[in-house]
Amino acid sequence: MIETLFDKGQPPAVALFFGEEDYLVESTARELFERIAAADTTGMNADILDGDSTTIDAVVSMARAYPMMAEHRVVWVRRFDSMSLRKDRKGRDPLSAFLSDPPSHSTLIITGSFESAHGIGAAMKRNASAAQKKIAGMRFPLGALLQHAVWMEFPQYRDNQIGPWLTKYCKQFGSSITDEAIELLKVRIGPSLRELALEVDKIRTYLPDGSPITEQAVRDVVGSERSSTIFDLQKALAKRNITEAQRVVHAMLSTTRQEMLIINGLSRFFVSCFMLVDLRGNTDPTTIAQRVGVPQFALNDYMDAVQAYGPAGLERAIVALTEADSKLKSTGADGLTIIQSMIASLAIPAR
């Protein structure tokens, strides 16, 4: 999608992304930001700012600065619509001056909701001349941004657009998703692309690489209740809340047989926690998540477990899971009883 923003291989001077579908706004802006930043080996020419905590003078100054030991600079201002902007008595302001003559050595990325501009993309397709007049009449700074920046609007997706988007989203990870899984996700999660992407990421964590996301996979991971999934079990165990963990286990096993999902999922969880013991001093969550191979959205749960169990407790948990796995495969004992006994053993303090 961002390829259309480049002119003969050069990124735009100013790019504006807005709309109701904030997930697409942010992901498209991040894709452009990372594409430009990737060419900078120094890491000194890529900055992300927040409109709530910066000024337009600081933004313009940073965007005008020449890149250091690189050819291009990129500055991304999130929630730009929350920034306080004013013109002086003569109608001058730093943003307008920048937009009229942006430097060729930098890209300024702007994201925000900008509710008054919602629908302008569709209006441009219906009647470009009328839409341009509407843009010209918009209050500062939105009208100026739409007139000078390369922009994209992301309206909320309709129901019939969600399925194709989910299919495309899974495809980028080398996976696929069935129509039945799509329909179940839409029912369980709703139309939010951000939440749908989050749930797909969770499901992928518990499937072998390249495995299709099926209706059963959605039922196993998302659950029939939002509070009865493998991730809720992890959260409860991370805080050593054994009572809540037993409730989640009972809910998960009351309708379908998910014993091996629980064993495999918790085994990966506690092994990853054990690996985190030596990385707790690293303050960069992205680096920690990548080195251990865990999803960043769940990293806090892993760190909570490291704190709650300690190395010896984590080792005990791994042993308990191994024993439960062996019992499930070699005995005819009830699966719920085995899992509940395993959960209870996790409450025993490490000696």
Side-chain angles (χ1 to χ4, degrees), residues 227-344:
S227 59
S228 302
T229 71
I230 185 67
F231 284 91
D232 294 299
L233 182 56
Q234 285 182 185
K235 286 179 181 292
L237 290 175
K239 299 181 183 299
R240 291 194 98 132
N241 186 341
I242 303 302
T243 300
E244 173 64 8
Q246 294 285 21
R247 185 200 68 76
V248 174
V249 161
H250 189 274
M252 290 181 69
L253 297 180
S254 62
T255 55
T256 58
R257 297 187 62 84
Q258 302 184 68
E259 292 92 339
M260 294 314 300
L261 170 74
I262 292 172
I263 293 293
N264 293 335
L266 292 183
S267 294
R268 284 192 291 268
F269 177 72
F270 280 106
V271 168
S272 296
C273 289
F274 198 81
M275 294 170 63
L276 279 171
V277 170
D278 295 329
L279 296 176
R280 285 178 290 179
N282 192 322
T283 58
D284 181 10
T286 301
T287 301
I288 294 176
Q290 289 176 345
R291 289 183 63 179
V292 179
V294 304
Q296 190 172 341
F297 64 79
L299 184 60
N300 286 341
D301 294 335
Y302 289 78
M303 299 303 287
D304 287 343
V306 172
Q307 182 68 29
Y309 287 81
L314 293 172
E315 187 175 355
R316 178 186 292 276
I318 294 170
V319 171
L321 284 158
T322 302
E323 292 175 349
D325 179 62
S326 177
K327 290 178 182 178
L328 283 171
K329 294 176 179 177
S330 61
T331 71
D334 177 64
L336 177 59
T337 301
I338 293 174
I339 296 297
Q340 287 183 322
S341 176
M342 177 201 71
I343 295 296

Side-chain angles (χ1 to χ4, degrees), residues 80-240:
F80 190 89
D81 47 314
S82 65
M83 183 180 293
S84 177
L85 298 171
R86 293 192 304 271
K87 292 185 176 183
D88 63 20
R89 293 180 179 179
K90 295 184 178 180
R92 296 173 300 190
D93 69 277
L95 178 62
S96 294
F98 180 86
L99 291 175
S100 63
D101 185 27
S104 59
H105 58 257
S106 71
T107 293
L108 174 61
I109 301 173
I110 295 173
T111 57
S113 175
F114 299 109
E115 293 182 9
S116 59
H118 288 179
I120 195 65
M124 284 290 291
K125 293 179 181 179
R126 290 193 304 268
N127 189 326
S129 178
Q132 290 290 359
K133 290 181 181 179
K134 182 178 180 181
I135 290 173
M138 289 181 179
R139 296 181 60 182
F140 179 81
L142 186 53
L145 286 171
L146 290 171
Q147 288 176 318
H148 292 89
V150 173
W151 57 269
M152 287 184 176
E153 180 187 2
F154 296 92
Q156 187 172 21
Y157 267 29
R158 298 185 298 274
D159 183 75
N160 64 351
Q161 295 176 292
I162 293 175
W165 181 83
L166 278 170
T167 299
K168 183 178 179 181
Y169 183 78
C170 293
K171 188 176 181 180
Q172 68 179 315
F173 301 110
S175 184
S176 61
I177 184 168
T178 66
D179 292 341
E180 294 79 9
I182 288 173
E183 292 306 313
L184 185 56
L185 277 172
K186 286 160 61 176
V187 170
R188 296 277 172 82
I189 307 303
S192 169
L193 298 190
R194 184 180 299 279
E195 291 190 19
L196 287 167
L198 181 62
E199 294 303 324
V200 167
D201 290 345
K202 289 180 180 179
I203 295 169
R204 287 178 45 246
T205 302
Y206 286 90
L207 289 175
D209 291 343
S211 296
I213 296 176
T214 63
E215 180 182 2
Q216 188 58 50
V218 175
R219 293 186 185 280
D220 288 345
V221 179
V222 178
S224 58
E225 302 176 30
R226 292 299 299 277
S227 59
S228 302
T229 71
I230 185 67
F231 284 91
D232 294 299
L233 182 56
Q234 285 182 185
K235 286 179 181 292
L237 290 175
K239 299 181 183 299
R240 291 194 98 132

Side-chain angles (χ1 to χ4, degrees), residues 14-63:
V14 184
L16 169 66
F17 304 111
F18 64 96
E20 296 173 282
E21 193 48 76
D22 64 326
Y23 177 81
L24 293 180
V25 170
E26 183 172 341
S27 60
T28 305
R30 184 170 297 282
E31 184 181 358
L32 177 60
F33 178 85
E34 292 179 350
R35 167 79 174 270
I36 299 172
D40 173 26
T41 58
T42 70
M44 296 186 294
N45 301 287
D47 299 279
I48 300 178
L49 306 174
D50 194 302
D52 287 330
S53 56
T54 192
T55 65
I56 188 59
D57 292 309
V59 170
V60 169
S61 176
M62 191 172 292

